[in-house]
Amino acid sequence: MLKINNLQVKVDDAQIIKGLNLHVKPGEIHAIMGPNGSGKSTLSYTLGGRDGYDVTGGDILFEGTSILDLDPSERAVLGIFLGFQYPVEIPGVTTMTFLKTAVNAVRKGRGMEELDAVNFLKLVRQKAKELGIEEEMLKRSVNTGFSGGEKKRNEILQMSLLEPRMAILDETDSGLDIDALKVVANGVNDMRDPDHAIVVITHYQRLLDYIEPDFVHILSRGKIVRSGDKALAQELETDGYDSVIAKAA
Amino acid sequence: MVARAKYIEKPEVADQFKVINTKLPGSDINWMQQWRKQAMEAFSNTGIPTQAQEEWKFTNLKDLQRKNFTSPLSDIEEHFITKDLSLLDQLPQGPRLVFIDGIYQEKYSDAVTGKIMVYPLKEALEKAGDRVKQLLDQTAQEDAETHPFVDLDAALMTDGFYVHAPKNVVADQPIVVLYLNTQAKAQSHLRVLLDVEEGADITLIEVHKSLEVSASFTNLVTNTKVGANARLRQIKINHNTADDYHIAMTQAVIEKDSRLESFNLNTGARISRHEAHILIQGENSECHWNSALLLRDQRHADFTARVTHNACHCLSKQMCKTIVDDQAKAVFQGKTIVRPGAQNTDGYQLNNNLLLSPKATVDTKPELEIFADDVKCSHGATTGQLDKDALFYLCSRGLSEQEARQLLIKAFIADEIEAVTYDEIKPHLNELVQEWFDHDDNSAI
């Protein structure tokens, strides 16, 4: 589903990603772990297509086609979802308006009929209920004044509404209390099936107690230095990044 | 260095006055005749202010001075189309007044007078001369300053209206006024007199609309008195053409326990200036004087307000949000004066500007002058571009860049519209903002 080949990314003239390879097949959950500054967020923004993240070498293929020339909204329409580490506050736009605009933009892009107000409301109420999101939150401005947990629940709600083929969750677990963490984990586990793929980018092993990854990769200085199964995450937990990365070198 | 002239002459105005002064409303009333003559002299002694004047530093009136307008009271050709009058149908129901090129149009108006009295200027002079005289003379000036456009308006006012809300009368409908400019080079000098007595509560919606051919000059002075425990809400919408000149001045005095609210939605003109001097004369009153400016091409809009606190425990807010694209220019000049003894004043000014083009300009000058020692006053101005993080966030959820930009720009303006307390007008204001976007052909949005 996703093939990243020898990816090189520059941000403000600094080479951050230096030859990264990653293959993700449908049905798989991959966890990318790494210390601060290893290039985790750069990888997720590059996959999302953010301006200022210049791909200077290599390629990203989604279902066999390069996505490098696609802008962020086209990638969303294709079925790539990026969960943000720091969801952006947008005062003045209610969450409900935002969600409806997003859902219909994606549906339109996918050649599906746009949802009318009634059907959209039905859908969003049902999804919100599943995630334990109060309707009152949907009336507030997007992420504005939300607690960390509310912001991440909102990310998972968006993921659930936009029905992506692949989700990339960038440190969606950081700083969450255990209840919010479970919501995130449940969202991911609900999406898990043979047609969908998930890439979880995280600093902490704790999330992996709730989401069982098929593969774990260690990212260091812009490259994947070790890959393994969930046992690798256990090793990280016991020995720490320094030791595991040193062994890989 | 030679001092720059503070005024430039506009001599043709005095000639026009000589020709028409016997036909103007009130020409058969002695005091009115005298009053106009004095004003004409005052204007002739000054002329049009230049940028050498601090208050006009950012708005250049040279073009207005050079331009010749046809004499007021010129015949009206009815070549406007029904579409322009049907604009009224989009507004809330209520007594309505229509002015075309500065003249009251009885046949298009429906100024039903019930508990609230609404008279066009001529009728007001006949029926309520004393009150009208009092209000005409009312200013909210500091010291003995003069205002050339107020003088010019006094001399040439071709029409206007007077609203009298008697004690404790609460209007159940807003008064709706349409000012239509139909002829190129027409000039209208209008006077609005708002007399809100103790405990009364009224809402006024004013729409200025120019036909596309119009390169007109509108000079409008509003004198307002809000009595104790009364409320006046004003919503003013400007749809001018890029060639219009629109100069508006409000002089308001508000008494204790009262509330004055104003909101102006303005898409600019060649020159558009919305100015106010507000004097808070009694305790425990509130003044909200807000504006949203949406400007593109080479349009110019100027929001200038001065609120003087002369009593304790009052609150004033001046909020102005601008969106400036292309080579347009927005001006914010907000001043809050707290006089000695006006303790516990809460004064607040905020000007947020969103620049959408590298050639767009904003001049902003928030000022405080505080002569009391127990007050809470703040002012601020921000100028910036759209938040890149927010744009990427929205685009990553499938919105095109254009959709994302529109959503963010609308959100920027939204709280200003949200602050309008007359809910019935909000859908219309939101539609106008949408129309402004839809009429955009060539900008980046």
Side-chain angles (χ1 to χ4, degrees):
Chain A
M1 183 175 270
L2 177 72
K3 275 190 184 168
I4 303 177
N5 296 329
N6 192 28
L7 185 69
Q8 326 248 347
V9 181
K10 263 190 181 176
V11 182
D12 292 336
D13 280 334
Q15 194 76 45
I16 309 289
I17 304 281
K18 305 164 184 167
L20 186 143
N21 292 292
L22 180 70
H23 292 189
V24 179
K25 290 188 189 128
E28 293 177 350
I29 294 186
H30 289 241
I32 298 177
M33 306 185 70
N36 291 330
S38 57
K40 298 192 302 283
S41 285
T42 300
L43 175 62
S44 70
Y45 281 147
T46 306
L47 289 169
R50 182 162 193 174
D51 267 358
Y53 291 74
D54 295 328
V55 175
T56 54
D59 206 347
I60 304 169
L61 306 176
F62 186 70
E63 309 201 310
T65 313
S66 173
I67 58 166
L68 292 184
D69 290 337
L70 300 185
D71 65 33
S73 59
E74 291 169 321
R75 295 181 195 206
V77 168
L78 267 189
I80 299 172
F81 178 85
L82 180 60
F84 281 57
Q85 180 180 5
Y86 302 112
V88 183
E89 298 191 1
I90 309 180
V93 179
T94 67
T95 305
M96 197 64 111
T97 305
F98 163 61
L99 293 174
K100 185 162 183 263
T101 313
V103 164
N104 280 334
V106 162
R107 287 180 72 97
K108 203 171 143 193
R110 290 176 187 161
M112 297 159 76
E113 206 177 311
E114 292 183 33
L115 290 180
D116 62 24
V118 176
N119 282 316
F120 173 76
L121 201 63
K122 226 159 116 183
L123 177 70
V124 79
R125 276 190 177 144
Q126 177 214 330
K127 299 271 188 192
K129 202 174 162 195
E130 286 168 17
L131 293 166
I133 290 173
E134 304 274 337
E135 252 190 86
E136 185 269 331
M137 194 178 108
L138 304 176
K139 289 177 189 154
R140 284 152 61 189
S141 288
V142 178
N143 295 325
T144 309
F146 284 24
S147 69
E150 284 175 325
K151 285 182 183 172
K152 299 301 169 70
R153 274 172 213 246
N154 194 13
E155 292 292 288
I156 297 301
L157 174 63
Q158 291 163 42
M159 180 175 86
S160 159
L161 285 166
L162 295 178
E163 301 182 336
R165 307 278 325 275
M166 183 181 74
I168 301 142
L169 303 179
D170 182 9
E171 301 211 27
T172 305
D173 57 315
S174 301
L176 290 190
D177 61 57
I178 200 71
D179 292 331
L181 187 70
K182 280 181 184 165
V183 170
V184 171
N186 286 341
V188 172
N189 291 328
D190 283 348
M191 190 176 155
R192 186 171 210 168
D193 71 26
D195 292 329
H196 292 83
I198 295 147
V199 177
V200 186
I201 298 174
T202 181
H203 185 83
Y204 303 105
Q205 191 267 341
R206 187 181 61 162
L207 177 68
L208 306 183
D209 293 342
Y210 299 94
I211 300 171
E212 198 172 302
D214 300 299
F215 299 95
V216 175
H217 310 275
I218 312 284
L219 185 64
S220 170
R221 295 168 194 240
K223 272 185 183 180
I224 286 174
V225 293
R226 258 186 91 183
S227 296
D229 60 13
K230 62 178 177 174
L232 182 57
Q234 302 289 330
E235 192 183 329
L236 260 184
E237 182 73 2
T238 326
D239 300 347
Y241 277 114
D242 289 347
S243 154
V244 173
I245 291 168
K247 254 194 256 172
Chain B
M1 205 180 109
V2 181
R4 287 162 65 203
K6 288 195 161 184
Y7 294 98
I8 32 176
E9 286 184 357
K10 196 159 176 58
E12 79 274 15
V13 172
D15 300 336
Q16 289 172 344
F17 177 71
K18 271 181 210 153
V19 178
I20 62 165
N21 85 80
T22 53
K23 295 178 211 155
L24 290 167
S27 58
D28 52 343
I29 303 170
N30 256 338
W31 65 262
M32 186 84 184
Q33 245 182 351
Q34 284 307 314
W35 188 78
R36 282 192 189 267
K37 233 172 105 186
Q38 274 170 15
M40 190 64 245
E41 272 163 28
F43 180 79
S44 296
N45 288 335
T46 56
I48 292 203
T50 69
Q51 288 179 285
Q53 301 243 29
E54 186 63 25
E55 296 80 11
W56 294 89
K57 196 165 141 190
F58 303 120
T59 292
N60 185 345
L61 298 174
K62 254 190 202 151
D63 282 359
L64 176 68
Q65 188 266 341
R66 284 193 207 114
K67 208 163 175 101
N68 284 313
F69 297 95
T70 51
S71 177
L73 293 185
S74 298
D75 286 340
I76 292 163
E77 297 162 43
E78 297 204 1
H79 64 284
F80 58 91
I81 15 185
T82 353
K83 179 183 108 210
D84 299 300
L85 287 175
S86 70
L87 192 75
L88 285 165
D89 302 335
Q90 297 166 32
L91 298 166
Q93 289 292 311
R96 48 186 53 180
L97 298 157
V98 176
F99 294 86
I100 296 177
D101 296 323
I103 307 293
Y104 175 68
Q105 304 293 313
E106 199 179 349
K107 61 180 162 176
Y108 302 121
S109 302
D110 181 18
V112 182
T113 290
K115 288 181 289 182
I116 312 274
M117 278 150 275
V118 185
Y119 300 132
L121 189 61
K122 254 184 219 159
E123 202 180 333
L125 285 165
E126 287 160 17
K127 291 193 173 154
D130 288 348
R131 292 194 84 96
V132 168
K133 183 172 188 295
Q134 223 176 29
L135 209 47
L136 277 173
D137 281 331
Q138 178 195 279
T139 64
Q141 309 285 56
E142 292 289 308
D143 310 325
E145 59 187 352
T146 57
H147 195 292
F149 287 100
V150 175
D151 289 334
L152 180 62
D153 188 83
L156 289 181
M157 62 170 94
T158 46
D159 220 323
F161 63 94
Y162 168 70
V163 177
H164 180 204
K167 193 173 170 182
N168 292 334
V169 170
V170 177
D172 44 12
Q173 286 184 320
I175 298 159
V176 181
V177 187
L178 174 66
Y179 306 91
L180 197 59
N181 292 321
T182 67
Q183 297 185 84
K185 291 185 168 183
Q187 60 178 319
S188 352
H189 302 271
L190 290 149
R191 184 71 65 134
V192 176
L193 303 167
L194 305 173
D195 188 352
V196 187
E197 285 203 76
E198 185 185 323
D201 187 338
I202 62 168
T203 302
L204 178 70
I205 299 169
E206 292 174 279
V207 180
H208 292 270
K209 161 99 183 162
S210 291
L211 302 192
E212 278 312 309
V213 292
S214 162
S216 59
F217 169 34
T218 300
N219 181 29
L220 177 97
V221 176
T222 306
N223 285 8
T224 300
K225 194 180 147 206
V226 184
N229 206 26
R231 177 171 74 164
L232 169 64
R233 295 186 291 190
Q234 276 178 280
I235 291 126
K236 175 172 161 176
I237 299 164
N238 283 76
H239 303 280
N240 291 100
T241 71
D243 298 319
D244 281 343
Y245 297 85
H246 181 93
I247 309 274
M249 172 70 178
T250 293
Q251 313 183 97
V253 177
I254 72 176
E255 301 293 340
K256 64 173 182 179
D257 306 311
S258 68
R259 210 177 149 97
L260 173 63
E261 298 172 22
S262 166
F263 173 72
N264 175 221
L265 181 68
N266 196 332
T267 54
R270 175 78 189 81
I271 296 288
S272 178
R273 167 138 157 155
H274 183 56
E275 184 178 356
H277 289 169
I278 297 150
L279 177 61
I280 304 180
Q281 199 59 288
E283 291 181 14
N284 191 34
S285 292
E286 280 189 29
C287 170
H288 297 257
W289 203 261
N290 300 339
S291 180
L293 312 177
L294 312 176
L295 308 175
R296 64 163 66 96
D297 304 326
Q298 294 183 325
R299 285 171 179 250
H300 175 112
D302 171 334
F303 178 76
T304 294
R306 184 181 73 201
V307 178
T308 304
H309 284 259
N310 198 28
C312 300
H313 299 287
C314 294
L315 173 137
S316 73
K317 274 190 176 186
Q318 298 160 32
M319 287 208 309
C320 178
K321 287 208 173 189
T322 79
I323 295 172
V324 193
D325 203 351
D326 304 325
Q327 297 169 60
K329 178 171 166 174
V331 178
F332 171 80
Q333 301 186 104
K335 194 175 202 174
T336 305
I337 299 170
V338 182
R339 286 207 182 142
Q343 303 294 12
N344 300 104
T345 289
D346 191 348
Y348 178 83
Q349 295 171 352
L350 188 64
N351 172 222
N352 297 127
N353 303 292
L354 189 56
L355 294 177
L356 298 180
S357 139
K359 287 185 176 169
T361 313
V362 172
D363 285 308
T364 176
K365 195 174 70 174
E367 288 178 281
L368 298 173
E369 276 184 28
I370 302 171
F371 302 101
D373 56 10
D374 185 11
V375 301
K376 191 174 90 186
C377 284
S378 65
H379 60 180
T382 64
T383 300
Q385 291 155 352
L386 289 174
D387 178 2
K388 288 201 170 80
D389 289 334
L391 272 177
F392 174 62
Y393 189 63
L394 292 172
C395 290
S396 78
R397 298 299 180 252
L399 277 75
S400 67
E401 196 176 337
Q402 188 185 346
E403 287 171 316
R405 286 174 68 96
Q406 267 208 23
L407 197 62
L408 290 179
I409 295 168
K410 274 192 226 158
F412 175 79
I413 284 291
D415 57 347
E416 195 85 336
I417 293 178
E418 204 42 51
V420 173
T421 61
Y422 183 65
D423 287 335
E424 289 82 344
I425 195 73
K426 284 181 190 167
H428 184 62
L429 295 174
N430 284 318
E431 269 169 39
L432 292 175
V433 172
Q434 184 60 45
E435 265 175 38
W436 186 77
F437 282 110
D438 295 345
H439 277 92
D440 189 19
D441 300 317
N442 44 20
S443 103
I445 304 168

